[in-house]
Amino acid sequence: MSADKQISYFMLVARSLRRIHSKNVEYMIPAYSTGEIAANMELQPSYRYSSTQLKKTMLLLLTTMALSLPLLFLAIAPLTADAAAAKPIVNPKQVYTYAQMSKDLQALAARYPDLIQLGSAGLSEYGRKIWTADVGHGPAIVMLNGSHHAREWITTITLMMQIEQLARDEEKSAIVRGYQAGDLLQRVTFRFVPMVNPDGVILQQSGLTAFPASAHASLIKMNGGKSNFKRWKANAKGIDLNRQYPAGWDSIRNPGSAPYYMNYKGTQPLQAKEAIAMYDLTRASQPELSLAYHSSGEILYWNYKTKAENVYRDKLIASAYGKLTGYRLIAPQANPSGGGFTDWFITEFGRPGLTPELGRTAGETHVPLSEWSYNWSKQKNTIWFLAEEGYKLWMARQQTTSYDTDFRLTSAERSYTWPDLKSKKLGIVYPGRYKAVRQKGDWIEVQTAHGVQWISTRAVLAGPFEPLTSTTADIAAGTAAYLSPLQSSKTANAAALAEQTVTLLDKWNEWLLITAKEGVFWIREADVAAANPPL
């Protein structure tokens, strides 16, 4: 191994120790403490360590590692034990209610605050929140929804299990389909709507008790005079939500003539509040790929008047999904009945839309919980497939453009031959200032001493950088410091610095890169101004 490679190896090991945890406190050692040196080595290829310097450096690093490992073990051990002891939040083997889903979503967001963000698509006809959950940080949106039909709430359980599966895989740095889970979730955001039809689900599971007495007579009438609502599919106004979208709505077969427990399409598309909410959310999200989960039948719908130029692409995705699940693909029909969510999605966006029917046929009721393990065995390997396909679709739409602005890399990044996580890995590009060549999507081609290499843009601060008017500044005790301005919204990444005089290294968008006693950090320029009032 060459001297440079040995030094780079030990720098990479040292960087891996930059965040040391105790049970209640996180102390951060900035990546820049080694990364800036490494970056300088990249930009100055003539620089070499002598044999004596190399030995001293390696001895110092090995000594540091030897001293740090016991502390690291003691610090990580309780965290590892805590993670192992953490029980799954979602229990799929129960009648999965709207209240339980709401509780579980909030618990998941609390456990994984940097990964899961909750929101709302809107309100149901009876004022219930239609929950959304975003999982991931990437530009490629994959949108998944369930329980358009009330009695099909096993789809809600499936989606909730997928949310937790993504989070747990990311937490343990799992390798999925040849990728590290965290790498994919930096490139993809899943937008979940686990229960599109909360009113209908509550009615199907609990009957009239959750609805005002004034509505009971009309609900019973819409249910054909029956007070047992186990067959209910519609929303609580008697409209079938999967017949509410503006795609072939006029020609829906067997539309029903009045509000009913199933099939009534309403008096116009987008009449129901729940359908309007989904329509608006989808248009705002612009997903690369969307799935609307239903039950039952173990079949897969994938084509609704799909344009000829998209048929090959969409069938390839559908066939791969069918292979993973064992679901049978439904052949395209000459005159399909429309009005469904994915019918509209395919025609509106020209992008792949799948409707998997989960579970064996259950008749006019919900799929029994006794079928859960069987159903999940079909679905548990699909979520990362959807992440991979969603990102591929997004990247296929991105153009390669020239990039002639300096940039600063705020953390070390793995480099690749091409803008593709499965292309050949070249090495590590360390924090520092660089010249770029080209950009494609969320990748940038960087000029290094070893040639051009592609890295992710997730840690890139694009220039211009402003000139410094001073080389030092005073800061007050408690000044918030970050490894990167890009992470400043995450309080877990903040450190509190002691009162001191710091060295200024760079300036970018009202942020200062500094060297402090504690290491190299980014701080807000306003904090320096506050500690140095004008005379």
Side-chain angles (χ1 to χ4, degrees), residues 25 41 65 95 163 203 246 304 315 388 410 442 450 474 522:
V25 177
M41 290 174 61
M65 289 168 63
V95 174
I163 293 172
L203 181 62
Y304 178 81
K315 188 171 184 181
E388 182 179 23
T410 63
D442 56 347
H450 306 295
D474 295 327
W522 288 89

Side-chain angles (χ1 to χ4, degrees), residues 406-468:
D406 284 3
F407 73 91
R408 178 172 281 279
L409 191 63
T410 63
S411 65
E413 285 288 339
R414 175 74 65 185
S415 62
Y416 298 81
T417 307
W418 304 108
D420 181 345
L421 287 170
K422 288 191 174 178
S423 67
K424 182 181 178 181
K425 296 180 176 67
L426 298 177
I428 302 293
V429 179
Y430 290 94
R433 287 274 288 273
Y434 292 93
K435 293 279 188 185
V437 180
R438 295 181 295 173
Q439 182 171 3
K440 180 174 182 179
D442 56 347
W443 293 80
I444 194 168
E445 191 178 29
V446 57
Q447 190 85 47
T448 75
H450 306 295
V452 291
Q453 304 175 15
W454 287 90
I455 62 171
S456 168
T457 59
R458 61 188 165 187
V460 166
L461 300 179
F465 295 89
E466 302 169 53
L468 292 167

